C-alpha cells in the first residue's frame, strides 16, 4: 500500500518499510504469471504446514502503533505463517525465486536482504503484540523452476531491528518534512508564473473556472466545448495550479498521439517561465524497444539484463529529472548510452513526475493499466484529464469484449504435437478440452440455429474456468521451461493465446445483462463476449480519482455520454459552451434532396460528386470531404473527374507520418487541394486545418455505424434498458462523427469557410436535433436549400467586406 499521511499520523504497511531491491521484478516481465506462481507456491507451503501442525496460523494479521519524533506510525501487515507455542513464537515468511537448480542450491541469502528485512519487522511487531515473547524467524525460499524449498534461519536481535526501524522512521519523516518544505517553495514558485493566455476567449475562461471549481470540490466535470475553445490549456492550467501546491499529480490521457503533443506544447510555456513541473510523455514498450528482437527477458535482452544494478549505478533517473520535460526520445537516447531498457526507465520515472501524458490504455485497459500507479483502489492523489472523451466508450467496449477461436487452439495443438516433453503433453490436454467445448457449440448451432453465422449461446462458465485453470498451470510450467532453457520464441503464439484466454475467462465471470455471449460459426468457430455497456467498469475507475475532467467538442447529448462513460450523477457537473468564433465567418448549408442510405448510394454517387465539383469551383482553395466509409468514398471518387488542383484520398490503414506529409502539403501548397477522407479517421479528429489549409468542409451523410450482428446487440440492449436502441447504437455515434469532422474548419478567429452537409437525413428531426446549439444561434444560421451555389457565392462575397 502507499504510505498515507494525515497531519502527523502516518499509516503504512510493513512492505512500505522495506528498502527496494535490485532484484525487483521488471514491468516487462510477464507479471500475471509471476504473481500467480508466487501466490501458488506460498499457498502450497501454507497448506502443508496447516495439515502437519495444528498450531500453525496463516496470513496472521499484526498491527502496532509507535510514537516517534512528534509523529505516530501506524503499521500493519500479514505474516505468512506463525507457530504460536507456549514459550515462543516461530514465524515464517515465504518468498519465491526463479533459478536453475544448481544456482538455487548454492544461493546466498544475503543477496535478498529485503526478504529478511520484512521478516524481522514482523518479528518486532509480534514481539510487542505478545508482551516481549521470544521470537524465532525463518525465511522459506521456493524455487519456482522445480518447486524445491530451502529454509533459512534468520537471526533476530531486537535492538538491531529497532535501530533499523528507527532509521526508516527517520527517513520517512525527513521525506515528509522535505515534501512540506517543497510544497511551501512550490507555492512561492507558482505565484511567479503567468498563467494568462495569449488570446482572450470568454468560453475558455468559463471552462477554466468550471474546472477549477470541480477540482477544488473533488468533483468530475464533463465539458462539451467546440473546436477552438482552447480545451487543453483550459483543463491543464487549473489542474496544474491545484495539484502543484497540494502534492497531487495529473494524468492527461488521449486516444491519439497528436493530442499528446498538443498537451506537451501547452505545458512548455509554463516550464519556460521557470515552473519546475516534471512532465513526461509515455509510450508503449514495443515502440521504445532498442533490442533487435522485441522479447522482454534478461536472458535475451541486454537492456534489461541486471537492469536494477546498472540503473542505480548509472544515476540515469536523476539526470533525466534534471529536465522538466521528458519525452520518449530523450529517455531512449540516455537509456541507450547505458544499455538500459527505455520503457523500464520511463516506468521508474513515474513516481517522480507531476504530469504524465499518455494513451487511454494506461488507465483503463485491464491488460495495459500502469500497475505501479493504479495497483490499489485509491487514486485520490491523481487528477485525470480525458481528452476527446467521446472515444472512451468504444475503447471501453473493446477492452471488455474478448473472443477465443477454435482455429488458434487447433494451431497450438498442431504446433506442440511433435514435442516430447511432459510440459507439452500437459498443454495438449486442456487444448483438447477446448476443442470439445467448441464441438458442443457447433452442435448447438446445427440443432437450433441452422444456416446462421451468428447465434447467441449460454456460456458454461464453470467448464471454461476449469479448462483455463488447467491451461494456466501448464502454461506457467512452460514459461519457466522457456526461461530455464533460454528458448527464444518471437511472438510466441502460446503466450498470445494465454493472454487472450485469460481475458476471456475473466470477462466471462461478469454476470450482467450488458454482456452477451454469441458464437460465430465461420472461420472454424469463434466464441465472443460482447460488452454492450462498459459504464460500470469505467465508472469504478473514474470514481477512484480525486477529480476527472472529460472534454470533447462532441459530448452531446451530455446525459447520454454521462451514462455510457459511467460518470456518477452525484459527483458530475456539465458544462456546455458556444463557439468562441464569429458566426459571420462561417456558412452552414444542408443539401437535402440526396439520399446517402446504403441502398441508394450507387444511384446517389454521381449526384454527390456533382455537388462537390460545383462547390469547389465557386472559390479556389483547399476542401475536405468526409464520408461514412472508404467504400462510399471510392464510389463517389469514380465520378470526380477533372477537378482542379490535386486530389488526395485517405488510404485504409494510413499512418500518422503519411498524414503529416499531406498536412504539410496543404500548408505550403499554392494549388487547390481536394482531400477525400472518412469520418472517425486520422483526418477528422485531433487535427488542425487552420488558416487556408481548409476553406470548406463537405460531409456526406451521417456516419452511422454499419448494421451488423454486434451493433444489433447494442441496439437491443439499449432498447431494453433505456427505450433508445436506435439512438444509442446508431444515431448518436453517427452524428458525433459528423460534428467532429465539421470541427476541422474554423480553428481561429481569423479563419472563415463553408460547411455543407449532404443528405436528406440531416433534415430528419432525429438527426438534426443533435446539431450543436452554437450552430443555431440565429434563425438563418443553417440554411436548408438545394440552391446552395447562390448561397455560397453570397457568403464569399460578404466575406470581402468583413
Amino acid at each position: 500500500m502507499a504510505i498515507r499521511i494525515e497531519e502527523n499520523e502516518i499509516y503504512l504497511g510493513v512492505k512500505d518499510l522495506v528498502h527496494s531491491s535490485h532484484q525487483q521484478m521488471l514491468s516487462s516481465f510477464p507479471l500475471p504469471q509471476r504473481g500467480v506462481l508466487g501466490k501458488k507456491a506460498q499457498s502450497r507451503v501454507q497448506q502443508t504446514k496447516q495439515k502437519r501442525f495444528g498450531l500453525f496460523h496463516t496470513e496472521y494479521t499484526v498491527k502496532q502503533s509507535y510514537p516517534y519524533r512528534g509523529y505516530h506510525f501506524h503499521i500493519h501487515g500479514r505474516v505468512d505463517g506463525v507457530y504460536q507455542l507456549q514459550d515462543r513464537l516461530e514465524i515464517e515468511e515465504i518468498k519465491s525465486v526463479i533459478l536453475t537448480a544448481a544456482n538455487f542450491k548454492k544461493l546466498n541469502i544475503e543477496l535478498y536482504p529485503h526478504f529478511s528485512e520484512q521478516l524481522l519487522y514482523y518479528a518486532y511487531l509480534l514481539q510487542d503484540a505478545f508482551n516481549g515473547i521470544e521470537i524465532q524467524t525463518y525465511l522459506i525460499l521456493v524455487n519456482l523452476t522445480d518447486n524445491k524449498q530451502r529454509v533459512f534461519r534468520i537471526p533476530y536481535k531486537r535492538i538491531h531491528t529497532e535501530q533499523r526501524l528507527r532509521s526508516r522512521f527517520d527517513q520517512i519523516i525527513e521525506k515528509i518534512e522535505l515534501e512540506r518544505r517543497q510544497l511551501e517553495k512550490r507555492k512561492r514558485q507558482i505565484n511567479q508564473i503567468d498563467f494568462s493566455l495569449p488570446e482572450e476567449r470568454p468560453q475558455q475562461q468559463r471552462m477554466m473556472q468550471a474546472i477549477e471549481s470541480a477540482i477544488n470540490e473533488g468533483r468530475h466535470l464533463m465539458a462539451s466545448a467546440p473546436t477552438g475553445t482552447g480545451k487543453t490549456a483550459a483543463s491543464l492550467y487549473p489542474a496544474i495550479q491545484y495539484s502543484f501546491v497540494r502534492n497531487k499529480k495529473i494524468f492527461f490521457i488521449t486516444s491519439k498521439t497528436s493530442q499528446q503533443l498538443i498537451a506537451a506544447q501547452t505545458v512548455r510555456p509554463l516550464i519556460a517561465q521557470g515552473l519546475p513541473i516534471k512532465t513526461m510523455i509515455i509510450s508503449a514498450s514495443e515502440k521504445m524497444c532498442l533490442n533487435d528482437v522485441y522479447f522482454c527477458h534478461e536472458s535475451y535482452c541486454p537492456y534489461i539484463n541486471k537492469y536494477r544494478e546498472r540503473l542505480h549505478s548509472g544515476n540515469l533517473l536523476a539526470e533525466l529529472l534534471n529536465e522538466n520535460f521528458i519525452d520518449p526520445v530523450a529517455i531512449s537516447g540516455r537509456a541507450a548510452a547505458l544499455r538500459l531498457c527505455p520503457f523500464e526507465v520511463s516506468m521508474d520515472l513515474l513516481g517522480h513526475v507531476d504530469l504524465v501524458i499518455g494513451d487511454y490504455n494506461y488507465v483503463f485497459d485491464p491488460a495495459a493499466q500502469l500497475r505501479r500507479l493504479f495497483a490499489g483502489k485509491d487514486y485520490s492523489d491523481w487528477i485525470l484529464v480525458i481528452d476527446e472523451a467521446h472515444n472512451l466508450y468504444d475503447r471501453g467496449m473493446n477492452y471488455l469484449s474478448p473472443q477465443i477461436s477454435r482455429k488458434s487452439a487447433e494451431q497450438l495443438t498442431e504446433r506442440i504435437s511433435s514435442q516430447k516433453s511432459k510440459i507439452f503433453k500437459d498443454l495438449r490436454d486442456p487444448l483438447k478440452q477446448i476443442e470439445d467445448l467448441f464441438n458442443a457449440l457447433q452442435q448447438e448451432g446445427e440443432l437450433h440455429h441452422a444456416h446462421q453465422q451468428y447465434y447467441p449461446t449460454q456460456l458454461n462458465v464453470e467448464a471454461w474456468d476449469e479448462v483455463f485453470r488447467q491451461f494456466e498451470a501448464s502454461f506457467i510450467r512452460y514459461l519457466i521451461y522457456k526461461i530455464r532453457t533460454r528458448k527464444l520464441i518471437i511472438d510466441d503464439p502460446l503466450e498470445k493465446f494465454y493472454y487472450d484466454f485469460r481475458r476471456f475467462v475473466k470477462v466471462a465471470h461478469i454476470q450482467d445483462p450488458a454482456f452477451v455471449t454469441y458464437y460465430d460459426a465461420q472461420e472454424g468457430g469463434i466464441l465472443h463476449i460482447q460488452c454492450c455497456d462498459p459504464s460500470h467498469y469505467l465508472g469504478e475507475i473514474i470514481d477512484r480519482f480525486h477529480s476527472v475532467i472529460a472534454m470533447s467538442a462532441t459530448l452531446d447529448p451530455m446525459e447520454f455520454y454521462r451514462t455510457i462513460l459511467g460518470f456518477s450523477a452525484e459527483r458530475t457537473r456539465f458544462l456546455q459552451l458556444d463557439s468562441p468564433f464569429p458566426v459571420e465567418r462561417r456558412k452552414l448549408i444542408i443539401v437535402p434532396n440526396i439520399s446517402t442510405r446504403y441502398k441508394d448510394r450507387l444511384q446517389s454517387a454521381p449526384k454527390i460528386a456533382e455537388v462537390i465539383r460545383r462547390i469547389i469551383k465557386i472559390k479556389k482553395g483547399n476542401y475536405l470531404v468526409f464520408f461514412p466509409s472508404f467504400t462510399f468514398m471510392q464510389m463517389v471518387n469514380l465520378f470526380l473527374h477533372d477537378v482542379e488542383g490535386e486530389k488526395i484520398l485517405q488510404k485504409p490503414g494510413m499512418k500518422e507520418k503519411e498524414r503529416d506529409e499531406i498536412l504539410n502539403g496543404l500548408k505550403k501548397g499554392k494549388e487547390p487541394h481536394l482531400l477525400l477522407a472518412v469520418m472517425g479517421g486520422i483526418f477528422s479528429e485531433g487535427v488542425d486545418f487552420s488558416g487556408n489549409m481548409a476553406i470548406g468542409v463537405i460531409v456526406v451523410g451521417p456516419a452511422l455505424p454499419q448494421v451488423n450482428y454486434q451493433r444489433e446487440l447494442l441496439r437491443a440492449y439499449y432498447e431494453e434498458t433505456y427505450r433508445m436502441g436506435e439512438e444509442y447504437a446508431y444515431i448518436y455515434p453517427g452524428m458525433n462523427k459528423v460534428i467532429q469532422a465539421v470541427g476541422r474548419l474554423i480553428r481561429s478567429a481569423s479563419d472563415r469557410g463553408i460547411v455543407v452537409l449532404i443528405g436528406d437525413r440531416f433534415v430528419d428531426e432525429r438527426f438534426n436535433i443533435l446539431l450543436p446549439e452554437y450552430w443555431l444561434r440565429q434563425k438563418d444560421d443553417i440554411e436548408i436549400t438545394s440552391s446552395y451555389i447562390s448561397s455560397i457565392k453570397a457568403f464569399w462575397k460578404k466575406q470581402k467586406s468583413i
Side-chain angles (χ1 to χ4, degrees), residues 473-516:
S474 303
F475 174 75
I476 287 169
R477 291 194 289 275
Y478 164 76
L479 183 70
I480 295 170
Y481 163 79
K482 279 208 309 180
I483 294 169
R484 191 178 66 223
T485 58
R486 297 175 62 84
K487 268 191 174 295
L488 175 60
I489 303 174
I490 302 168
D491 297 328
D492 188 343
L494 262 168
E495 283 200 38
K496 183 183 185 308
F497 184 83
Y498 169 78
Y499 283 114
D500 291 344
F501 196 4
R502 188 185 65 174
R503 183 181 286 216
F504 181 87
V505 171
K506 187 174 182 180
V507 174
H509 280 274
I510 301 174
Q511 299 297 313
D512 190 303
F515 291 79
V516 181

Side-chain angles (χ1 to χ4, degrees), residues 608-621:
I608 293 167
E610 184 61 25
V611 173
I612 295 168
R613 187 182 290 105
R614 288 180 177 180
I615 290 171
I616 64 177
K617 274 185 177 179
I618 297 170
K619 181 177 175 63
K620 289 183 179 180

Side-chain angles (χ1 to χ4, degrees), residues 558-569:
M558 295 195 79
E559 185 59 28
F560 162 72
Y561 279 102
R562 187 198 67 76
T563 301
I564 64 172
L565 296 181
F567 280 84
S568 69

Side-chain angles (χ1 to χ4, degrees), residues 228-295:
T229 302
K231 293 185 286 294
T232 307
S235 62
L236 280 174
Y237 278 23
I240 289 169
Q241 288 173 294
Y242 181 90
S243 64
F244 190 74
V245 296
R246 289 174 176 83
N247 212 21
K248 293 191 183 295
K249 300 188 177 190
I250 305 166
F251 208 134
F252 188 100
I253 59 173
T254 73
S255 59
K256 293 182 173 65
T257 307
S258 58
Q259 294 155 345
Q260 296 173 22
L261 300 177
I262 294 169
Q265 291 163 5
T266 303
V267 179
R268 283 186 183 276
L270 302 180
I271 294 173
Q273 288 185 60
L275 185 69
I277 180 166
K278 305 295 181 187
T279 302
M280 181 171 68
I281 298 177
I282 54 175
S283 186
S285 57
E286 191 165 359
K287 286 185 178 179
M288 297 184 78
C289 183
L290 297 172
N291 202 18
D292 295 336
V293 176
Y294 177 65
F295 188 81

Side-chain angles (χ1 to χ4, degrees), residues 15 34 37-49 56-59 78-83 91-97 115 118-119 122 138-144 148-151:
K15 290 182 179 178
R34 180 63 178 88
L37 282 165
K39 288 178 181 177
K40 287 187 175 181
Q42 175 184 316
S43 180
R44 279 196 301 271
V45 174
Q46 289 174 327
Q47 288 171 7
T48 303
K49 300 273 186 182
F56 183 77
H57 304 280
T58 63
E59 301 297 319
R78 287 189 299 181
V79 190
D80 288 340
V82 176
Y83 293 101
I91 68 172
E92 296 177 345
E93 186 65 14
I94 305 163
K95 299 294 183 183
S96 57
V97 294
F115 290 169
Q118 184 176 345
L119 175 64
Y122 283 137
Y138 297 90
L139 185 61
I140 300 175
L141 286 193
V142 181
N143 187 12
L144 298 177
K148 297 291 185 184
Q149 297 179 25
R150 289 188 65 187
V151 180

Side-chain angles (χ1 to χ4, degrees), residues 190-471:
I190 207 162
N191 286 334
Q192 298 171 8
I193 303 301
D194 181 7
F195 280 88
S196 62
L197 293 159
E199 187 179 345
E200 284 290 331
R201 300 178 187 175
Q203 288 83 353
Q204 188 179 47
Q205 292 299 320
R206 276 189 60 200
M207 185 172 173
M208 292 175 79
Q209 290 165 6
I211 289 173
E212 179 183 2
S213 176
I215 293 174
N216 281 330
E217 296 173 14
R219 293 180 179 272
H220 307 318
L221 181 75
M222 296 181 67
S224 184
T227 300
T229 302
K231 293 185 286 294
T232 307
S235 62
L236 280 174
Y237 278 23
I240 289 169
Q241 288 173 294
Y242 181 90
S243 64
F244 190 74
V245 296
R246 289 174 176 83
N247 212 21
K248 293 191 183 295
K249 300 188 177 190
I250 305 166
F251 208 134
F252 188 100
I253 59 173
T254 73
S255 59
K256 293 182 173 65
T257 307
S258 58
Q259 294 155 345
Q260 296 173 22
L261 300 177
I262 294 169
Q265 291 163 5
T266 303
V267 179
R268 283 186 183 276
L270 302 180
I271 294 173
Q273 288 185 60
L275 185 69
I277 180 166
K278 305 295 181 187
T279 302
M280 181 171 68
I281 298 177
I282 54 175
S283 186
S285 57
E286 191 165 359
K287 286 185 178 179
M288 297 184 78
C289 183
L290 297 172
N291 202 18
D292 295 336
V293 176
Y294 177 65
F295 188 81
C296 294
H297 192 271
E298 59 186 17
S299 301
Y300 310 106
C301 180
Y303 296 94
I304 59 175
N305 185 29
K306 296 184 177 178
Y307 169 84
R308 295 282 169 209
E309 297 171 31
R310 294 187 294 111
L311 176 70
H312 288 283
S313 64
N315 202 35
L316 178 58
L317 296 186
E319 286 182 19
L320 285 166
L321 288 166
N322 281 332
E323 305 294 330
N324 288 318
F325 184 81
I326 309 165
D327 64 9
V329 174
I331 295 170
S332 293
R334 301 275 186 91
L338 296 173
R339 291 185 71 75
L340 290 169
C341 171
F343 180 74
E344 283 300 327
V345 171
S346 68
M347 293 299 98
D348 283 321
L349 286 167
L350 283 172
H352 305 280
V353 297
D354 304 298
L355 168 61
V356 181
I357 302 170
D359 191 86
Y360 289 175
N361 296 346
Y362 295 120
V363 176
F364 290 105
D365 185 352
Q369 190 183 57
L370 297 177
R371 290 176 178 81
R372 294 201 195 187
L373 300 184
F374 305 125
K377 301 292 185 184
D378 181 7
Y379 313 156
S380 58
D381 286 340
W382 286 85
I383 296 166
L384 179 66
V385 181
I386 308 173
D387 195 22
E388 302 294 355
H390 62 276
N391 288 314
L392 182 58
Y393 172 64
D394 282 340
R395 285 283 195 99
M397 277 201 305
N398 290 335
Y399 296 148
L400 299 175
S401 297
Q403 64 182 47
I404 185 169
S405 75
R406 177 200 287 267
K407 184 182 290 186
S408 58
E410 288 176 343
Q411 288 172 342
L412 284 182
T413 301
E414 185 178 348
R415 181 185 179 90
I416 65 176
S417 60
S418 59
Q419 301 289 334
K420 304 299 182 186
S421 170
K422 184 178 182 301
I423 287 169
F424 294 99
K425 179 186 179 302
D426 291 344
L427 283 166
R428 286 195 292 270
D429 289 344
L431 287 171
K432 174 64 170 62
Q433 293 178 54
I434 291 173
E435 187 177 343
D436 293 340
L437 288 169
F438 271 106
N439 286 336
L441 287 165
Q442 198 74 30
Q443 290 171 8
E444 177 189 346
E446 291 168 359
L447 285 171
H448 304 292
H449 307 281
H451 311 300
Q452 293 182 30
Q453 178 180 349
Y454 303 105
Y455 50 85
T457 184
Q458 288 295 317
L459 194 64
N460 186 341
V461 177
E462 190 175 319
W464 283 98
D465 205 35
E466 175 60 23
V467 174
F468 175 72
R469 187 190 64 76
Q470 293 180 37
F471 182 81

